[in-house]
Amino acid sequence: MPDRNAPELRPEWGELLARDDYKRDFRERDALIRGRDSWKLERRQYFEEQGSPSWDAARRGDWGEALRLLEDRRPALLAIGREDAARRSFFHRVRVVERPWTDYLRWQLHSLRIRAECGERVRMVDAVELADSEEFGQLPEIVVLGGRTLYQVRYSEAGIPAGAIRYTDPDLVLRWEGYLADLHRVGEDVLAYFEREAAHLLPPA
């Protein structure tokens, strides 16, 4: 694991964005990126996915339909992968995992496997390896976009998206980018992780 703790991050250093403002700001800034990678840290073990028919099916207990709908997204994800390659800008995801897995995480592992097969660079990190960084609390949900913008993505207690705090201080963005890059470097590739840990599992009860 990285031999350093996570950088400090205080809400008063950034600008609070409502959910729709965050989505718009993210799209606009992402569209301008060329030749710089982006990074995401997912720490929560449950998100209430908005507008995901696949997750809706999983919540109903229709696991087969949930997986079929994930597969239906493959052409769109492949197109995103080709666009990222053309822009020389790749998306790297660090997914923290805790035992016992939530049903959400079991579903998301299938989604992450497909994303990785379509070009996204996804690695898994066990939560026990983050003890030093989480001595005073759980790590936040973070996106570092193109080396210029950092978002601390916010959620309700129920896991519903609630906007973000945007940070643009270059030194702060660089420190978090380095931390996430280190986590990604030492994490396990999601395809190997999935085959060992998830491929053989029965659907959630």
Side-chain angles (χ1 to χ4, degrees), residues 113-134:
R113 172 183 60 83
I114 293 171
R115 285 179 174 274
E117 290 171 349
C118 294
E120 190 171 308
R121 301 176 180 188
V122 185
R123 290 188 172 268
M124 317 300 288
V125 173
D126 195 299
V128 299
E129 304 291 347
L130 300 177
D132 289 344
S133 286
E134 296 194 327

Side-chain angles (χ1 to χ4, degrees), residues 7-24:
E8 188 176 9
L9 192 64
R10 298 183 184 180
E12 60 268 24
W13 294 347
E15 179 181 358
L16 183 64
L17 301 177
R19 184 185 175 197
D20 287 345
D21 294 333
Y22 162 56
K23 291 168 66 176
R24 180 172 55 254

Side-chain angles (χ1 to χ4, degrees), residues 33 35 43 63 76 78 83 93 142 154 182 185:
I33 298 172
R43 178 60 182 88
W63 193 246
L78 285 169
E83 181 182 349
R93 186 188 304 255
I142 296 293
R154 302 170 67 244
D182 283 349
R185 174 177 51 81

Side-chain angles (χ1 to χ4, degrees), residues 116-162:
E117 290 171 349
C118 294
E120 190 171 308
R121 301 176 180 188
V122 185
R123 290 188 172 268
M124 317 300 288
V125 173
D126 195 299
V128 299
E129 304 291 347
L130 300 177
D132 289 344
S133 286
E134 296 194 327
E135 181 180 0
F136 300 108
Q138 186 170 292
L139 285 171
E141 309 298 315
I142 296 293
V143 177
V144 176
L145 198 58
R148 292 176 176 265
T149 310
L150 185 154
Y151 299 102
Q152 180 180 347
V153 189
R154 302 170 67 244
Y155 295 87
S156 71
E157 287 297 321
I160 298 172

Side-chain angles (χ1 to χ4, degrees), residues 41-49 55 59 94-109 112 123-130 134 138-141 155-160 193:
L41 172 66
E42 286 186 316
R43 178 60 182 88
R44 292 177 60 102
Q45 301 302 290
Y46 180 84
F47 298 102
E48 190 55 64
E49 295 283 349
W55 174 236
R59 291 183 65 189
V94 176
R95 205 334 157 189
V96 180
V97 290
E98 281 187 281
R99 300 280 188 168
W101 291 349
T102 61
D103 286 349
Y104 173 84
L105 185 58
R106 289 186 62 179
W107 169 82
Q108 193 194 26
L109 283 170
L112 295 178
R123 290 188 172 268
M124 317 300 288
V125 173
D126 195 299
V128 299
E129 304 291 347
L130 300 177
E134 296 194 327
Q138 186 170 292
L139 285 171
E141 309 298 315
Y155 295 87
S156 71
E157 287 297 321
I160 298 172
Y193 184 90

